[in-house]
Amino acid sequence: LLFLDYHLDNGKTGIQAAAALRDKWQTTIPAVLSSADRTDEVRNQAIENQLHYLPKPIKPAALKRFLTQAIK
């Protein structure tokens, strides 16, 4: 399971990090992308890259729901 923030250092994104890790491990690892940026652009990028999007602040119930689905 990957838990990533959208904005990383040096202009990189969690989306790029997820893609690199998935490529390295040759598998689609379940992942959550979290961000304070609530724009449709960030949400759509997450969805297009098979990342579950949770806006900050993360609600415990939403995280629990994702984790329950991810471990099935």
Side-chain angles (χ1 to χ4, degrees), residues 33 37-48 51 53 55:
L33 181 74
D37 185 335
R38 293 175 173 255
T39 62
D40 287 339
E41 180 182 348
V42 171
R43 180 185 307 271
N44 291 338
Q45 285 179 33
I47 292 167
E48 289 169 8
L51 302 169
Y53 173 78

Side-chain angles (χ1 to χ4, degrees), residues 7 15 17 25 27 32-33 42 44 61:
H7 295 285
I15 294 170
W25 294 325
T27 188
V32 173
L33 181 74
V42 171
N44 291 338

Side-chain angles (χ1 to χ4, degrees), residues 3 32 52-70:
F3 195 91
V32 173
H52 188 79
Y53 173 78
L54 292 177
K56 290 180 182 178
I58 297 171
K59 295 179 181 172
L63 180 57
K64 182 179 178 181
R65 206 169 26 253
F66 169 75
L67 292 172
T68 301
Q69 292 172 355

Side-chain angles (χ1 to χ4, degrees), residues 2-18:
L2 299 173
F3 195 91
L4 307 148
D5 190 41
Y6 180 73
H7 295 285
L8 303 177
D9 289 339
N10 302 317
K12 302 289 184 188
T13 68
I15 294 170
Q16 293 168 318

Side-chain angles (χ1 to χ4, degrees), residues 11-31:
K12 302 289 184 188
T13 68
I15 294 170
Q16 293 168 318
L21 290 168
R22 287 171 168 176
D23 185 53
K24 177 181 174 108
W25 294 325
Q26 295 296 301
T27 188
T28 302
I29 303 159

